[in-house]
Amino acid sequence: MQRVRRVWTYAYDKFIRHALKFGVVGLAGYLIDVGVFNVLRLDWLGDGWWSDPLGAKFVSVTCSTIATWFGNRYWTFRENRRKNVVLEFVEFTAIAVVGLGISLGCLWVSHYVLGFDNLVADNISGNVIGLVLATLFRFLLYRYWVFSPKRADGFAALQEKERLAAEAAVLGLPPQTVRDV
């Protein structure tokens, strides 16, 4: 039983906790994405490039990406957020753009290739199938690249460097040798 508890604790600390928080932030992003998409598709903000299926999806994903960056930076991965906010946001956005491409690809195939050109089909292809595939892709890259605990400019890494430097000072050693002691 102790071994199971240790495995669960390790899995929870390293993966499950982040996945659950990512899911909550993602749900908020999903509601923003679907809400904005449908408002634009129903022409509530007028007719234009943004009311076309691909334009509406582009705008809705852009809005949800900005919201989810804040949620992931300050809640989901807060201990691994980076000191270089601009680089973090650029990397986050690059992954979101690829995720957008996955969602748009699903929507494009359904709407223009397969001919399922009604609002329900657009929602299923873009907001269900595309969303599931894009979310899996984004979670893995956000967790293990953008907000990786191994990033040198992440707050966790900087705190670890400060801790090692403090230990080295106490021991009278150069900071890089404390890890080996």
Side-chain angles (χ1 to χ4, degrees):
M1 194 62 164
Q2 281 289 2
R3 183 180 171 113
V4 171
R5 181 173 288 156
R6 281 195 313 257
V7 168
W8 169 255
T9 301
Y10 179 80
Y12 182 82
D13 288 342
K14 297 296 181 186
F15 187 79
I16 296 169
R17 176 173 53 96
H18 290 113
L20 292 172
K21 287 181 174 183
F22 185 80
V24 171
V25 170
L27 180 60
Y30 178 76
L31 294 175
I32 292 168
D33 185 2
V34 172
V36 171
F37 178 80
N38 283 293
V39 163
L40 295 174
R41 286 289 289 131
L42 293 170
D43 296 331
W44 289 357
L45 298 179
D47 190 24
W49 65 270
W50 56 86
S51 60
D52 198 51
L54 297 181
K57 192 65 181 169
F58 176 81
V59 172
S60 69
V61 169
T62 299
C63 293
S64 70
T65 296
I66 292 168
T68 57
W69 177 70
F70 279 103
N72 284 310
R73 175 174 173 73
Y74 293 105
W75 187 51
T76 306
F77 303 112
R78 73 174 169 255
E79 67 273 5
N80 297 323
R81 66 181 184 245
R82 310 237 304 276
K83 191 172 184 177
N84 188 338
V85 176
V86 174
L87 179 60
E88 178 187 273
F89 184 72
V90 167
E91 290 175 353
F92 187 93
T93 301
I95 292 167
V97 167
V98 175
L100 170 61
I102 292 168
S103 292
L104 287 176
C106 292
L107 180 59
W108 182 81
V109 167
S110 171
H111 194 91
Y112 296 106
V113 175
L114 300 176
F116 299 123
D117 58 0
N118 60 62
L119 187 60
V120 173
D122 287 349
N123 274 287
I124 290 170
S125 61
N127 295 323
V128 177
I129 297 167
L131 180 83
V132 168
L133 296 174
T135 298
L136 179 61
F137 170 81
R138 285 192 295 256
F139 174 73
L140 292 173
L141 267 74
Y142 291 158
R143 171 70 178 102
Y144 295 106
W145 182 48
V146 175
F147 297 108
S148 172
K150 299 189 185 329
R151 296 298 292 252
D153 70 333
F155 284 119
L158 295 174
Q159 288 174 342
E160 177 68 7
K161 286 179 188 175
E162 290 172 3
R163 187 187 67 74
L164 291 174
E167 285 181 21
V170 168
L171 296 172
L173 299 171
Q176 63 272 19
T177 61
V178 172
R179 202 176 281 269
D180 299 328
V181 172

